Amino acid sequence: MATLILVRHGRSTANTAAVLAGWTPGVGLDERGGLQAAALPERLASVDLAAVVTSPLQRCLETLQPLLDARPGLPLHTDERIGECHYGEWSGRKLAELADEPLMEVVQRHPSAVTFPGGESMRAMQARAVDAVHDWNARLTREHGEQAVYLMCSHGDIIKAVVADALGMHLDLFQRIHVEPCSVTAIRYTRTRPFLLRLGDTGDFGSLVPAKRPEGGQDGAAVVGGGAGAQ
């Protein structure tokens, strides 16, 4: 079956402001995110892409624009199922503020039990994203053959949830996965099982240096929404 390349959107204005954007309109790339997006065509130059599928949110569309400019005619599809988690009343709030919410401990330790206030459950988020992947795998394999490679541009928690599914991990373990802004994750699907080929690859090792202060104010906590990456 098809090989999937997952690209997290480039660093956004919400990432640098440490805000949980969710589906808040008008959240685009910051200056660094624009540079990350501009570098994407060269990073993927050796990969023959059958199609691109994207979240409808602005920061994903901006991330893809340089790639689409470099490859006129590359089919582009929008799929709301790989859009960001619907965080409901948490959307637009500071991550440091959310760290004090009792629900945050459940988000960190037992995400399969979480439904965001006025939003969706993390189980529903994973289910819709994984369904989208399987649907596109089948469609593009039918149209382009088993060697087809395609790209999805999505969001941190969505990509982590898809990777967890591919690895056979319970959703409660998905916070152990981290993907940088504009990072590349690749999964090759076969008839019997998927293979994780790359995870959060940016070619930049700056993010391996421990941060002086963990984002969200909790040591060892995963950043809901994905974090801002290396500074």
Side-chain angles (χ1 to χ4, degrees), residues 92-191:
R93 293 179 62 186
K94 287 278 190 179
L95 291 168
E97 174 188 327
L98 291 171
D100 296 328
E101 293 280 354
L103 183 62
M104 182 59 86
E105 184 177 5
V106 189
V107 171
Q108 294 291 330
R109 298 180 181 273
H110 191 19
S112 66
V114 169
T115 299
F116 291 99
E120 73 177 327
S121 70
M122 300 194 85
R123 287 181 294 106
M125 172 200 75
Q126 183 185 44
R128 63 172 164 87
V130 170
D131 283 349
V133 167
H134 289 306
D135 288 349
W136 284 104
N137 283 350
R139 172 177 170 176
L140 293 172
T141 298
R142 286 195 308 269
E143 294 177 355
H144 300 277
E146 294 189 355
Q147 301 305 312
V149 180
Y150 72 105
L151 183 149
M152 275 188 173
C153 187
S154 188
H155 307 267
D157 282 350
I158 296 290
I159 294 172
K160 288 162 57 178
V162 170
V163 169
D165 173 79
L167 291 176
M169 293 171 57
H170 196 282
L171 183 61
D172 285 344
L173 302 178
F174 100 128
Q175 298 289 26
R176 301 183 182 193
I177 300 168
H178 180 74
V179 289
E180 293 274 299
C182 220
S183 64
V184 172
T185 294
I187 304 170
R188 178 170 296 138
Y189 287 86
T190 73
R191 186 175 60 85

Side-chain angles (χ1 to χ4, degrees), residues 4-231:
L4 169 63
I5 294 177
L6 287 157
V7 174
R8 185 184 167 201
H9 62 77
R11 196 173 75 176
S12 72
T13 54
N15 293 146
T16 47
V19 167
L20 189 62
W23 284 71
T24 305
V27 177
L29 302 184
D30 68 4
E31 183 177 0
R32 181 180 177 89
L35 293 174
Q36 291 170 334
L40 194 58
E42 179 62 27
R43 290 171 61 198
L44 297 174
S46 63
V47 182
D48 184 15
L49 296 173
V52 171
V53 184
T54 185
S55 156
L57 295 175
Q58 177 181 334
R59 51 197 182 272
C60 287
L61 296 172
E62 290 181 0
T63 298
L64 288 175
Q65 195 57 58
L67 179 65
L68 297 172
D69 289 344
R71 302 196 190 194
L74 180 62
L76 175 66
H77 308 275
T78 300
D79 193 328
E80 291 195 356
R81 294 177 296 175
I82 61 166
E84 181 62 282
C85 185
H86 291 277
Y87 296 115
E89 296 170 14
W90 280 26
S91 299
R93 293 179 62 186
K94 287 278 190 179
L95 291 168
E97 174 188 327
L98 291 171
D100 296 328
E101 293 280 354
L103 183 62
M104 182 59 86
E105 184 177 5
V106 189
V107 171
Q108 294 291 330
R109 298 180 181 273
H110 191 19
S112 66
V114 169
T115 299
F116 291 99
E120 73 177 327
S121 70
M122 300 194 85
R123 287 181 294 106
M125 172 200 75
Q126 183 185 44
R128 63 172 164 87
V130 170
D131 283 349
V133 167
H134 289 306
D135 288 349
W136 284 104
N137 283 350
R139 172 177 170 176
L140 293 172
T141 298
R142 286 195 308 269
E143 294 177 355
H144 300 277
E146 294 189 355
Q147 301 305 312
V149 180
Y150 72 105
L151 183 149
M152 275 188 173
C153 187
S154 188
H155 307 267
D157 282 350
I158 296 290
I159 294 172
K160 288 162 57 178
V162 170
V163 169
D165 173 79
L167 291 176
M169 293 171 57
H170 196 282
L171 183 61
D172 285 344
L173 302 178
F174 100 128
Q175 298 289 26
R176 301 183 182 193
I177 300 168
H178 180 74
V179 289
E180 293 274 299
C182 220
S183 64
V184 172
T185 294
I187 304 170
R188 178 170 296 138
Y189 287 86
T190 73
R191 186 175 60 85
T192 56
R193 58 184 174 181
F195 293 87
L196 182 65
L197 307 179
R198 296 286 189 280
L199 176 62
D201 189 346
T202 64
D204 178 2
F205 295 105
S207 63
L208 300 181
V209 179
K212 293 181 180 179
R213 175 187 290 180
E215 294 180 74
Q218 294 181 331
D219 188 20
V223 182
V224 181
Q231 302 300 311

